[in-house]
Amino acid sequence: MINYFLVFVLFGVGLYGVLVKKNIVKKILGLAIFTYAVNLFFVLIGYKAGGAAPIFAVGSEANFVDPLPQAIVLTAIVIDLAILALAVAIALRIYEKHGTFDITEIRNLKG
Amino acid sequence: MRHGIITLFLALPLAAAFLLAAVGGAKRRFAEIVGVSSPLALLALAVYVFFVRGSEPLVYSFSGWPAPLGVVWVLDGLSMLMLLAANFVAAAVAVYSVGYMKSYTAPAKYYALFNLMVGAMNALALSGDIFNIYVFLEIASVAAYALAAFGLGRDELEASFKYVILGSTASAFILMGVAIIYSATGSLNLADIAAVLAARTADSSGGAIRLAALLMTSGFALKAGLVPFHAWLPDVHSSAPSPVSAMLSGMLIKVAGLYAMARIFFFIAPVARIMPNILVFLGVLSMIVGVLLALGQWDFKRLLAYHSVSQVGYIALGLGLGTPLGIAAGLYHLINHAVFKSLMFLNAGAVEYSAGTRDLKSAGGLAARMPVTGATSLTASLAIAGVPPLNGFWSKFMIIIAAFQAGRYFAGAAAAIVSVLTLASFLKVQKYVFWGKTKENLSSVKEVPLSMTLPMAALAVACVLLGIFYPVVRDTLIQPAAMVLVRALEYSAGAIK
């Protein structure tokens, strides 16, 4: 249970970074942290105490961890990578245009 | 018809996107031919599939593994409706882009991203399991983030950054919901989840499902732009290039937000009973707040974006009512709004292209100089305001009736009043932009080229036809789609087999 609690703490840390930090690089770091938290949560769901890696072999015991969350998290990590790369590319362009990473100084749009 | 044909809805645009990305520096003409012919072919394919599919939902299993072990795509009435709407809007917008995107560089990259987004939306509409819905939601979103920043101007970058951060936060919530549902039911296949949940007594996993439903609702509500998750929408939809705005406002917020929410939500609805109330509440709030914010806008595209928030509220209200009439009305309004809102963004783009302004006050009397844009814009304005016999009238009328039937009098009254305010807001647009005397500095304005007028005309004709042939549209398209959601549970049993 402590594991799940820590995952939610990690999620909270990331969310805090995204919502509160003014620097867009720190916002991106926050984004990375909470996507990690979600991925970790997903892997934990498939974990089984004492379970082996899910590879079938002759004579191996059938006490495996659930392989599906692992496959899913691999996909999710690739997606997160794409988003992270895009966010960093946009952040660089913003820096070129505005000369700053501070979100309060580049606020033209009213939202 | 072989079932595998529905994979073309993803394979075709992906191939086009890959080809365009591989020859990034190609000539503009080549990029346009590949980039536009793919959405046109998809539209033809959607129409073909609509006529040849049987009455039963069509299930395609990848690599031959049946559900719930394998990945399946399901083509039912609801998917068909989304495919037709998405590919129609995409085809119109792609043709329009040929003219509009002339002033932008890197056409191959634009069409590659565009096709990626269209393909992901199609695949999302066909996916039969929640993880694939998440994956295609993300692919569509990544393409949308990049397209929103395509002009690389100051506002575009700022809006796109906001969109990336908020959109990814929403996605993380959705993935968290997927994880919780998986842990509670041991399955990702929608039909299987429904069967597992139906077989249980209501309380054994109710808490986990309710938490998942809550996480997913906030995620999808952000993707759909419902108040109070709407902060990014006016910025992104007004800063992006007009064809992209049309695509985002017309289709993406509905496929990625409302459709995905409805698809997942109606399968887990019996367990999470509180969800309809949340959807109705968010819907009414969006309707009212959206239209009030729109009234004060003088930027053409910002005004349209706030109306998107308001109109999405109508759809959420209809779906949240949960009655057969309410669901049908919500879905009908979904496709209607897709048609007229994308048309309006194309109109706004045409005005910007020719007159060089988005400010309502500095335009004026453009109907005389730009007859097609003026006429189509008037059609769209009347349609969104709900003037009979145009399409918007029928869907709003149905939503109001359904709200009263369901005993939600406040929601019904709010829908009626918001409709009047919408009319007022669009009369303002017509008055300031299109009617009256042409301003001196605008006297040399010319109508936009044929590649831009043709899609606008097609969308305007669709507004009229969807309204006039309302009974036909209702019986052939809307009812089958609504029945999918109404009978989500019975249907699910049939889809697994």
mmCIF file of all heavy atoms in Angstrom, chain A residues 8 18 24 31 34 38 41 45 66 68 72 79 83 86 90 93 97-98 106-109 111, chain B residues 131 138 142 145 152 154-155 158 160-161 165 168-169 172 175-176 179 182-183 188 231 235 302:
data_model
loop_
_atom_site.group_PDB
_atom_site.id
_atom_site.type_symbol
_atom_site.label_atom_id
_atom_site.label_comp_id
_atom_site.label_asym_id
_atom_site.label_seq_id
_atom_site.Cartn_x
_atom_site.Cartn_y
_atom_site.Cartn_z
ATOM 1 N N PHE A 8 1.282 8.371 -5.576
ATOM 2 C CA PHE A 8 0.412 9.550 -5.585
ATOM 3 C C PHE A 8 1.156 10.799 -5.117
ATOM 4 O O PHE A 8 0.887 11.898 -5.596
ATOM 5 C CB PHE A 8 -0.852 9.294 -4.763
ATOM 6 C CG PHE A 8 -1.880 8.542 -5.547
ATOM 7 C CD1 PHE A 8 -2.070 7.184 -5.371
ATOM 8 C CD2 PHE A 8 -2.644 9.203 -6.520
ATOM 9 C CE1 PHE A 8 -3.001 6.496 -6.125
ATOM 10 C CE2 PHE A 8 -3.581 8.520 -7.273
ATOM 11 C CZ PHE A 8 -3.760 7.158 -7.070
ATOM 12 N N VAL A 18 3.643 21.634 -12.561
ATOM 13 C CA VAL A 18 2.933 22.126 -13.745
ATOM 14 C C VAL A 18 2.062 23.322 -13.405
ATOM 15 O O VAL A 18 2.006 24.308 -14.138
ATOM 16 C CB VAL A 18 2.068 20.996 -14.350
ATOM 17 C CG1 VAL A 18 1.122 21.545 -15.387
ATOM 18 C CG2 VAL A 18 2.951 19.943 -14.957
ATOM 19 N N ILE A 24 8.808 27.879 -17.697
ATOM 20 C CA ILE A 24 8.210 26.840 -18.540
ATOM 21 C C ILE A 24 9.061 25.574 -18.575
ATOM 22 O O ILE A 24 8.527 24.490 -18.769
ATOM 23 C CB ILE A 24 7.899 27.347 -19.963
ATOM 24 C CG1 ILE A 24 9.121 27.868 -20.678
ATOM 25 C CG2 ILE A 24 6.827 28.387 -19.942
ATOM 26 C CD1 ILE A 24 8.806 28.300 -22.085
ATOM 27 N N LEU A 31 5.632 18.012 -15.858
ATOM 28 C CA LEU A 31 4.898 17.134 -16.775
ATOM 29 C C LEU A 31 5.571 15.766 -16.834
ATOM 30 O O LEU A 31 4.908 14.722 -16.726
ATOM 31 C CB LEU A 31 4.898 17.785 -18.156
ATOM 32 C CG LEU A 31 4.044 17.177 -19.235
ATOM 33 C CD1 LEU A 31 2.603 17.435 -18.902
ATOM 34 C CD2 LEU A 31 4.375 17.780 -20.581
ATOM 35 N N PHE A 34 4.951 13.746 -13.527
ATOM 36 C CA PHE A 34 3.694 13.061 -13.266
ATOM 37 C C PHE A 34 3.333 12.018 -14.315
ATOM 38 O O PHE A 34 2.594 11.093 -14.020
ATOM 39 C CB PHE A 34 2.531 13.993 -12.900
ATOM 40 C CG PHE A 34 1.894 14.756 -13.989
ATOM 41 C CD1 PHE A 34 1.245 14.125 -15.030
ATOM 42 C CD2 PHE A 34 1.867 16.128 -13.929
ATOM 43 C CE1 PHE A 34 0.628 14.849 -16.003
ATOM 44 C CE2 PHE A 34 1.243 16.856 -14.901
ATOM 45 C CZ PHE A 34 0.641 16.228 -15.947
ATOM 46 N N VAL A 38 2.272 8.146 -13.361
ATOM 47 C CA VAL A 38 1.170 7.346 -13.906
ATOM 48 C C VAL A 38 1.702 6.015 -14.433
ATOM 49 O O VAL A 38 1.116 4.948 -14.199
ATOM 50 C CB VAL A 38 0.439 8.119 -15.017
ATOM 51 C CG1 VAL A 38 -0.614 7.243 -15.662
ATOM 52 C CG2 VAL A 38 -0.208 9.364 -14.466
ATOM 53 N N PHE A 41 2.476 3.731 -11.596
ATOM 54 C CA PHE A 41 1.222 3.224 -11.049
ATOM 55 C C PHE A 41 0.733 2.040 -11.872
ATOM 56 O O PHE A 41 0.333 1.002 -11.336
ATOM 57 C CB PHE A 41 0.188 4.354 -11.062
ATOM 58 C CG PHE A 41 -1.170 3.946 -10.584
ATOM 59 C CD1 PHE A 41 -1.390 3.676 -9.249
ATOM 60 C CD2 PHE A 41 -2.228 3.846 -11.465
ATOM 61 C CE1 PHE A 41 -2.643 3.301 -8.798
ATOM 62 C CE2 PHE A 41 -3.482 3.464 -11.023
ATOM 63 C CZ PHE A 41 -3.688 3.192 -9.691
ATOM 64 N N ILE A 45 0.337 -2.037 -10.725
ATOM 65 C CA ILE A 45 -0.898 -2.816 -10.769
ATOM 66 C C ILE A 45 -0.615 -4.251 -11.195
ATOM 67 O O ILE A 45 -1.208 -5.193 -10.671
ATOM 68 C CB ILE A 45 -1.889 -2.156 -11.748
ATOM 69 C CG1 ILE A 45 -2.517 -0.940 -11.095
ATOM 70 C CG2 ILE A 45 -2.973 -3.120 -12.174
ATOM 71 C CD1 ILE A 45 -3.346 -0.148 -12.038
ATOM 72 N N ASP A 66 1.937 -9.653 -14.064
ATOM 73 C CA ASP A 66 1.059 -9.425 -15.218
ATOM 74 C C ASP A 66 1.834 -8.702 -16.324
ATOM 75 O O ASP A 66 2.333 -7.592 -16.115
ATOM 76 C CB ASP A 66 -0.130 -8.576 -14.749
ATOM 77 C CG ASP A 66 -1.180 -8.432 -15.826
ATOM 78 O OD1 ASP A 66 -0.902 -8.831 -16.962
ATOM 79 O OD2 ASP A 66 -2.275 -7.915 -15.528
ATOM 80 N N LEU A 68 0.779 -7.489 -19.231
ATOM 81 C CA LEU A 68 0.061 -6.491 -20.036
ATOM 82 C C LEU A 68 0.383 -5.050 -19.621
ATOM 83 O O LEU A 68 0.679 -4.224 -20.494
ATOM 84 C CB LEU A 68 -1.445 -6.769 -19.963
ATOM 85 C CG LEU A 68 -2.283 -5.944 -20.929
ATOM 86 C CD1 LEU A 68 -1.937 -6.289 -22.362
ATOM 87 C CD2 LEU A 68 -3.756 -6.158 -20.680
ATOM 88 N N ILE A 72 1.866 -2.056 -22.000
ATOM 89 C CA ILE A 72 1.143 -0.788 -22.117
ATOM 90 C C ILE A 72 2.032 0.377 -21.735
ATOM 91 O O ILE A 72 2.070 1.409 -22.409
ATOM 92 C CB ILE A 72 -0.122 -0.841 -21.231
ATOM 93 C CG1 ILE A 72 -1.200 -1.632 -21.952
ATOM 94 C CG2 ILE A 72 -0.596 0.548 -20.871
ATOM 95 C CD1 ILE A 72 -2.428 -1.850 -21.139
ATOM 96 N N ILE A 79 4.890 7.558 -26.105
ATOM 97 C CA ILE A 79 4.013 8.717 -26.309
ATOM 98 C C ILE A 79 4.508 9.903 -25.487
ATOM 99 O O ILE A 79 4.585 11.032 -25.984
ATOM 100 C CB ILE A 79 2.567 8.357 -25.931
ATOM 101 C CG1 ILE A 79 2.006 7.332 -26.905
ATOM 102 C CG2 ILE A 79 1.689 9.593 -25.919
ATOM 103 C CD1 ILE A 79 0.669 6.776 -26.493
ATOM 104 N N ILE A 83 5.680 13.756 -26.658
ATOM 105 C CA ILE A 83 5.114 14.995 -26.113
ATOM 106 C C ILE A 83 6.196 15.842 -25.474
ATOM 107 O O ILE A 83 6.240 17.062 -25.649
ATOM 108 C CB ILE A 83 3.991 14.667 -25.123
ATOM 109 C CG1 ILE A 83 2.795 14.155 -25.902
ATOM 110 C CG2 ILE A 83 3.606 15.877 -24.304
ATOM 111 C CD1 ILE A 83 1.679 13.655 -25.075
ATOM 112 N N LEU A 86 8.201 17.536 -28.142
ATOM 113 C CA LEU A 86 7.442 18.638 -28.721
ATOM 114 C C LEU A 86 7.407 19.830 -27.773
ATOM 115 O O LEU A 86 7.611 20.980 -28.183
ATOM 116 C CB LEU A 86 6.023 18.160 -29.047
ATOM 117 C CG LEU A 86 5.161 19.156 -29.794
ATOM 118 C CD1 LEU A 86 5.730 19.398 -31.174
ATOM 119 C CD2 LEU A 86 3.746 18.662 -29.895
ATOM 120 N N ILE A 90 8.859 23.552 -28.511
ATOM 121 C CA ILE A 90 8.055 24.778 -28.412
ATOM 122 C C ILE A 90 8.679 25.741 -27.414
ATOM 123 O O ILE A 90 8.742 26.953 -27.644
ATOM 124 C CB ILE A 90 6.604 24.429 -28.033
ATOM 125 C CG1 ILE A 90 5.937 23.678 -29.181
ATOM 126 C CG2 ILE A 90 5.809 25.687 -27.724
ATOM 127 C CD1 ILE A 90 4.588 23.129 -28.835
ATOM 128 N N ARG A 93 11.497 27.585 -29.030
ATOM 129 C CA ARG A 93 10.989 28.627 -29.928
ATOM 130 C C ARG A 93 10.466 29.822 -29.145
ATOM 131 O O ARG A 93 10.654 30.969 -29.548
ATOM 132 C CB ARG A 93 9.858 28.066 -30.803
ATOM 133 C CG ARG A 93 10.306 27.035 -31.795
ATOM 134 C CD ARG A 93 11.025 27.716 -32.942
ATOM 135 N NE ARG A 93 11.201 26.764 -34.024
ATOM 136 C CZ ARG A 93 11.492 27.114 -35.266
ATOM 137 N NH1 ARG A 93 11.662 28.376 -35.574
ATOM 138 N NH2 ARG A 93 11.638 26.203 -36.195
ATOM 139 N N LYS A 97 11.683 33.786 -29.365
ATOM 140 C CA LYS A 97 10.806 34.924 -29.641
ATOM 141 C C LYS A 97 10.787 35.925 -28.497
ATOM 142 O O LYS A 97 10.750 37.122 -28.713
ATOM 143 C CB LYS A 97 9.364 34.444 -29.869
ATOM 144 C CG LYS A 97 9.183 33.581 -31.084
ATOM 145 C CD LYS A 97 8.917 34.419 -32.311
ATOM 146 C CE LYS A 97 8.819 33.496 -33.510
ATOM 147 N NZ LYS A 97 8.865 34.188 -34.771
ATOM 148 N N HIS A 98 10.741 35.404 -27.258
ATOM 149 C CA HIS A 98 10.501 36.283 -26.119
ATOM 150 C C HIS A 98 11.755 36.566 -25.295
ATOM 151 O O HIS A 98 11.756 37.488 -24.489
ATOM 152 C CB HIS A 98 9.441 35.672 -25.195
ATOM 153 C CG HIS A 98 8.098 35.539 -25.836
ATOM 154 N ND1 HIS A 98 7.099 36.469 -25.681
ATOM 155 C CD2 HIS A 98 7.574 34.589 -26.641
ATOM 156 C CE1 HIS A 98 6.035 36.089 -26.349
ATOM 157 N NE2 HIS A 98 6.296 34.952 -26.943
ATOM 158 N N ILE A 106 5.398 36.377 -20.773
ATOM 159 C CA ILE A 106 5.051 36.142 -22.177
ATOM 160 C C ILE A 106 3.550 35.958 -22.336
ATOM 161 O O ILE A 106 3.081 35.347 -23.264
ATOM 162 C CB ILE A 106 5.790 34.909 -22.728
ATOM 163 C CG1 ILE A 106 5.618 33.725 -21.807
ATOM 164 C CG2 ILE A 106 7.232 35.207 -22.960
ATOM 165 C CD1 ILE A 106 6.343 32.500 -22.288
ATOM 166 N N ARG A 107 2.800 36.525 -21.410
ATOM 167 C CA ARG A 107 1.363 36.283 -21.442
ATOM 168 C C ARG A 107 0.657 37.339 -22.293
ATOM 169 O O ARG A 107 0.308 38.410 -21.826
ATOM 170 C CB ARG A 107 0.821 36.272 -20.017
ATOM 171 C CG ARG A 107 -0.591 35.736 -19.922
ATOM 172 C CD ARG A 107 -0.966 35.491 -18.484
ATOM 173 N NE ARG A 107 -0.384 34.255 -17.973
ATOM 174 C CZ ARG A 107 -0.399 33.922 -16.690
ATOM 175 N NH1 ARG A 107 -0.929 34.711 -15.805
ATOM 176 N NH2 ARG A 107 0.124 32.783 -16.304
ATOM 177 N N ASN A 108 0.479 37.033 -23.576
ATOM 178 C CA ASN A 108 -0.301 37.922 -24.446
ATOM 179 C C ASN A 108 -1.775 37.544 -24.437
ATOM 180 O O ASN A 108 -2.651 38.376 -24.542
ATOM 181 C CB ASN A 108 0.176 37.817 -25.895
ATOM 182 C CG ASN A 108 1.520 38.454 -26.090
ATOM 183 O OD1 ASN A 108 1.933 39.272 -25.269
ATOM 184 N ND2 ASN A 108 2.202 38.091 -27.155
ATOM 185 N N LEU A 109 -2.002 36.232 -24.390
ATOM 186 C CA LEU A 109 -3.363 35.721 -24.551
ATOM 187 C C LEU A 109 -4.061 35.707 -23.203
ATOM 188 O O LEU A 109 -3.441 35.456 -22.184
ATOM 189 C CB LEU A 109 -3.312 34.312 -25.140
ATOM 190 C CG LEU A 109 -2.588 34.244 -26.468
ATOM 191 C CD1 LEU A 109 -2.344 32.806 -26.852
ATOM 192 C CD2 LEU A 109 -3.398 34.922 -27.544
ATOM 193 N N GLY A 111 -6.684 33.797 -22.186
ATOM 194 C CA GLY A 111 -7.146 32.522 -21.643
ATOM 195 C C GLY A 111 -8.581 32.560 -21.242
ATOM 196 O O GLY A 111 -8.996 32.227 -20.219
ATOM 197 N N PHE B 131 -7.428 1.251 -23.909
ATOM 198 C CA PHE B 131 -6.042 1.687 -24.071
ATOM 199 C C PHE B 131 -5.790 2.209 -25.485
ATOM 200 O O PHE B 131 -5.079 3.189 -25.674
ATOM 201 C CB PHE B 131 -5.055 0.560 -23.737
ATOM 202 C CG PHE B 131 -3.636 1.047 -23.794
ATOM 203 C CD1 PHE B 131 -3.189 1.995 -22.894
ATOM 204 C CD2 PHE B 131 -2.764 0.591 -24.759
ATOM 205 C CE1 PHE B 131 -1.897 2.485 -22.954
ATOM 206 C CE2 PHE B 131 -1.464 1.066 -24.822
ATOM 207 C CZ PHE B 131 -1.033 2.017 -23.916
ATOM 208 N N GLU B 138 -3.837 10.364 -27.952
ATOM 209 C CA GLU B 138 -2.554 11.028 -27.808
ATOM 210 C C GLU B 138 -1.946 11.347 -29.170
ATOM 211 O O GLU B 138 -1.361 12.411 -29.343
ATOM 212 C CB GLU B 138 -1.592 10.139 -27.006
ATOM 213 C CG GLU B 138 -1.884 10.182 -25.532
ATOM 214 C CD GLU B 138 -1.738 11.593 -24.997
ATOM 215 O OE1 GLU B 138 -0.644 11.996 -24.637
ATOM 216 O OE2 GLU B 138 -2.770 12.288 -24.974
ATOM 217 N N VAL B 142 -0.979 15.032 -30.198
ATOM 218 C CA VAL B 142 0.375 15.483 -30.538
ATOM 219 C C VAL B 142 0.366 16.212 -31.879
ATOM 220 O O VAL B 142 0.963 17.285 -32.030
ATOM 221 C CB VAL B 142 1.354 14.288 -30.573
ATOM 222 C CG1 VAL B 142 2.692 14.726 -31.133
ATOM 223 C CG2 VAL B 142 1.557 13.731 -29.198
ATOM 224 N N TYR B 145 -1.165 19.594 -31.248
ATOM 225 C CA TYR B 145 -0.258 20.546 -30.594
ATOM 226 C C TYR B 145 0.671 21.170 -31.628
ATOM 227 O O TYR B 145 0.897 22.377 -31.630
ATOM 228 C CB TYR B 145 0.617 19.873 -29.527
ATOM 229 C CG TYR B 145 -0.101 19.120 -28.423
ATOM 230 C CD1 TYR B 145 0.486 18.008 -27.828
ATOM 231 C CD2 TYR B 145 -1.331 19.533 -27.958
ATOM 232 C CE1 TYR B 145 -0.142 17.324 -26.810
ATOM 233 C CE2 TYR B 145 -1.976 18.844 -26.947
ATOM 234 C CZ TYR B 145 -1.378 17.733 -26.378
ATOM 235 O OH TYR B 145 -2.000 17.051 -25.385
ATOM 236 N N LEU B 152 4.318 29.450 -35.906
ATOM 237 C CA LEU B 152 5.477 29.836 -35.105
ATOM 238 C C LEU B 152 5.486 31.313 -34.743
ATOM 239 O O LEU B 152 6.541 31.895 -34.517
ATOM 240 C CB LEU B 152 6.793 29.470 -35.817
ATOM 241 C CG LEU B 152 7.061 27.984 -35.969
ATOM 242 C CD1 LEU B 152 8.341 27.772 -36.746
ATOM 243 C CD2 LEU B 152 7.141 27.287 -34.632
ATOM 244 N N ARG B 154 4.311 34.501 -32.119
ATOM 245 C CA ARG B 154 4.377 34.593 -30.645
ATOM 246 C C ARG B 154 3.135 33.991 -29.998
ATOM 247 O O ARG B 154 3.226 33.201 -29.075
ATOM 248 C CB ARG B 154 4.509 36.055 -30.224
ATOM 249 C CG ARG B 154 5.811 36.682 -30.614
ATOM 250 C CD ARG B 154 5.754 38.191 -30.427
ATOM 251 N NE ARG B 154 5.888 38.561 -29.025
ATOM 252 C CZ ARG B 154 7.012 39.026 -28.490
ATOM 253 N NH1 ARG B 154 8.093 39.143 -29.230
ATOM 254 N NH2 ARG B 154 7.065 39.368 -27.230
ATOM 255 N N ASP B 155 1.959 34.399 -30.482
ATOM 256 C CA ASP B 155 0.719 33.909 -29.878
ATOM 257 C C ASP B 155 0.533 32.419 -30.107
ATOM 258 O O ASP B 155 0.076 31.697 -29.229
ATOM 259 C CB ASP B 155 -0.485 34.655 -30.463
ATOM 260 C CG ASP B 155 -0.553 36.072 -29.961
ATOM 261 O OD1 ASP B 155 0.261 36.418 -29.091
ATOM 262 O OD2 ASP B 155 -1.408 36.828 -30.448
ATOM 263 N N GLU B 158 2.708 30.467 -27.714
ATOM 264 C CA GLU B 158 2.216 30.543 -26.339
ATOM 265 C C GLU B 158 0.973 29.666 -26.181
ATOM 266 O O GLU B 158 0.856 28.893 -25.222
ATOM 267 C CB GLU B 158 1.884 31.991 -25.994
ATOM 268 C CG GLU B 158 1.563 32.176 -24.531
ATOM 269 C CD GLU B 158 0.972 33.549 -24.250
ATOM 270 O OE1 GLU B 158 1.227 34.486 -25.025
ATOM 271 O OE2 GLU B 158 0.238 33.660 -23.255
ATOM 272 N N SER B 160 0.056 27.148 -28.043
ATOM 273 C CA SER B 160 0.380 25.740 -28.207
ATOM 274 C C SER B 160 1.030 25.176 -26.953
ATOM 275 O O SER B 160 0.754 24.041 -26.557
ATOM 276 C CB SER B 160 1.297 25.567 -29.410
ATOM 277 O OG SER B 160 1.687 24.237 -29.526
ATOM 278 N N PHE B 161 1.888 25.981 -26.312
ATOM 279 C CA PHE B 161 2.528 25.493 -25.087
ATOM 280 C C PHE B 161 1.487 25.219 -24.008
ATOM 281 O O PHE B 161 1.512 24.193 -23.332
ATOM 282 C CB PHE B 161 3.573 26.495 -24.582
ATOM 283 C CG PHE B 161 4.356 25.975 -23.418
ATOM 284 C CD1 PHE B 161 5.315 25.005 -23.603
ATOM 285 C CD2 PHE B 161 4.108 26.422 -22.139
ATOM 286 C CE1 PHE B 161 6.027 24.489 -22.536
ATOM 287 C CE2 PHE B 161 4.807 25.918 -21.063
ATOM 288 C CZ PHE B 161 5.768 24.953 -21.266
ATOM 289 N N ILE B 165 0.718 21.503 -22.297
ATOM 290 C CA ILE B 165 0.765 21.246 -20.855
ATOM 291 C C ILE B 165 -0.594 20.771 -20.344
ATOM 292 O O ILE B 165 -0.707 19.733 -19.676
ATOM 293 C CB ILE B 165 1.210 22.523 -20.110
ATOM 294 C CG1 ILE B 165 2.655 22.851 -20.467
ATOM 295 C CG2 ILE B 165 1.058 22.350 -18.615
ATOM 296 C CD1 ILE B 165 3.662 21.875 -19.947
ATOM 297 N N SER B 168 -1.640 17.340 -21.936
ATOM 298 C CA SER B 168 -0.914 16.186 -21.400
ATOM 299 C C SER B 168 -1.352 15.872 -19.987
ATOM 300 O O SER B 168 -1.409 14.705 -19.588
ATOM 301 C CB SER B 168 0.584 16.441 -21.408
ATOM 302 O OG SER B 168 0.971 16.858 -22.677
ATOM 303 N N THR B 169 -1.672 16.917 -19.231
ATOM 304 C CA THR B 169 -2.202 16.678 -17.887
ATOM 305 C C THR B 169 -3.497 15.881 -17.985
ATOM 306 O O THR B 169 -3.694 14.898 -17.265
ATOM 307 C CB THR B 169 -2.473 18.021 -17.178
ATOM 308 O OG1 THR B 169 -1.328 18.840 -17.325
ATOM 309 C CG2 THR B 169 -2.764 17.810 -15.723
ATOM 310 N N ALA B 172 -2.794 12.323 -18.794
ATOM 311 C CA ALA B 172 -2.295 11.559 -17.640
ATOM 312 C C ALA B 172 -3.464 11.118 -16.761
ATOM 313 O O ALA B 172 -3.486 9.994 -16.271
ATOM 314 C CB ALA B 172 -1.311 12.404 -16.840
ATOM 315 N N LEU B 175 -5.102 8.215 -18.511
ATOM 316 C CA LEU B 175 -4.344 6.968 -18.392
ATOM 317 C C LEU B 175 -4.474 6.393 -16.980
ATOM 318 O O LEU B 175 -4.555 5.174 -16.798
ATOM 319 C CB LEU B 175 -2.873 7.208 -18.742
ATOM 320 C CG LEU B 175 -2.017 5.945 -18.820
ATOM 321 C CD1 LEU B 175 -2.546 5.001 -19.883
ATOM 322 C CD2 LEU B 175 -0.570 6.276 -19.114
ATOM 323 N N MET B 176 -4.499 7.284 -15.997
ATOM 324 C CA MET B 176 -4.711 6.835 -14.628
ATOM 325 C C MET B 176 -6.063 6.132 -14.522
ATOM 326 O O MET B 176 -6.174 5.074 -13.881
ATOM 327 C CB MET B 176 -4.674 8.056 -13.702
ATOM 328 C CG MET B 176 -4.495 7.739 -12.251
ATOM 329 S SD MET B 176 -2.855 7.146 -11.919
ATOM 330 C CE MET B 176 -2.366 8.216 -10.614
ATOM 331 N N ALA B 179 -5.819 2.730 -15.999
ATOM 332 C CA ALA B 179 -5.126 1.810 -15.096
ATOM 333 C C ALA B 179 -6.066 1.306 -14.008
ATOM 334 O O ALA B 179 -6.084 0.115 -13.688
ATOM 335 C CB ALA B 179 -3.919 2.509 -14.470
ATOM 336 N N TYR B 182 -8.517 -1.114 -15.415
ATOM 337 C CA TYR B 182 -7.869 -2.402 -15.670
ATOM 338 C C TYR B 182 -7.687 -3.182 -14.380
ATOM 339 O O TYR B 182 -7.913 -4.393 -14.326
ATOM 340 C CB TYR B 182 -6.522 -2.194 -16.365
ATOM 341 C CG TYR B 182 -5.766 -3.470 -16.580
ATOM 342 C CD1 TYR B 182 -6.212 -4.401 -17.511
ATOM 343 C CD2 TYR B 182 -4.630 -3.768 -15.842
ATOM 344 C CE1 TYR B 182 -5.546 -5.592 -17.700
ATOM 345 C CE2 TYR B 182 -3.961 -4.946 -16.021
ATOM 346 C CZ TYR B 182 -4.418 -5.859 -16.952
ATOM 347 O OH TYR B 182 -3.770 -7.042 -17.127
ATOM 348 N N SER B 183 -7.271 -2.485 -13.331
ATOM 349 C CA SER B 183 -7.039 -3.205 -12.075
ATOM 350 C C SER B 183 -8.347 -3.701 -11.475
ATOM 351 O O SER B 183 -8.376 -4.724 -10.803
ATOM 352 C CB SER B 183 -6.298 -2.319 -11.080
ATOM 353 O OG SER B 183 -7.171 -1.345 -10.563
ATOM 354 N N LEU B 188 -9.271 -4.600 -20.767
ATOM 355 C CA LEU B 188 -9.259 -3.278 -21.379
ATOM 356 C C LEU B 188 -10.322 -3.157 -22.452
ATOM 357 O O LEU B 188 -10.660 -2.064 -22.889
ATOM 358 C CB LEU B 188 -7.883 -2.989 -21.995
ATOM 359 C CG LEU B 188 -6.759 -2.790 -20.983
ATOM 360 C CD1 LEU B 188 -5.418 -2.840 -21.674
ATOM 361 C CD2 LEU B 188 -6.914 -1.466 -20.270
ATOM 362 N N ALA B 231 -9.938 26.846 -20.311
ATOM 363 C CA ALA B 231 -9.045 28.006 -20.415
ATOM 364 C C ALA B 231 -8.167 27.996 -21.657
ATOM 365 O O ALA B 231 -7.869 29.033 -22.223
ATOM 366 C CB ALA B 231 -8.171 28.081 -19.163
ATOM 367 N N ASP B 235 -7.675 30.421 -26.624
ATOM 368 C CA ASP B 235 -6.332 30.803 -27.063
ATOM 369 C C ASP B 235 -5.889 29.963 -28.251
ATOM 370 O O ASP B 235 -5.428 30.482 -29.270
ATOM 371 C CB ASP B 235 -5.324 30.606 -25.930
ATOM 372 C CG ASP B 235 -5.544 31.607 -24.819
ATOM 373 O OD1 ASP B 235 -6.304 32.558 -25.049
ATOM 374 O OD2 ASP B 235 -4.960 31.426 -23.751
ATOM 375 N N ARG B 302 -11.775 34.380 -31.793
ATOM 376 C CA ARG B 302 -11.962 34.186 -30.347
ATOM 377 C C ARG B 302 -13.430 34.031 -30.018
ATOM 378 O O ARG B 302 -13.823 33.206 -29.198
ATOM 379 C CB ARG B 302 -11.405 35.392 -29.601
ATOM 380 C CG ARG B 302 -10.154 35.122 -28.840
ATOM 381 C CD ARG B 302 -9.765 36.287 -27.998
ATOM 382 N NE ARG B 302 -9.706 35.883 -26.609
ATOM 383 C CZ ARG B 302 -8.779 35.081 -26.120
ATOM 384 N NH1 ARG B 302 -7.855 34.596 -26.898
ATOM 385 N NH2 ARG B 302 -8.774 34.747 -24.858
#
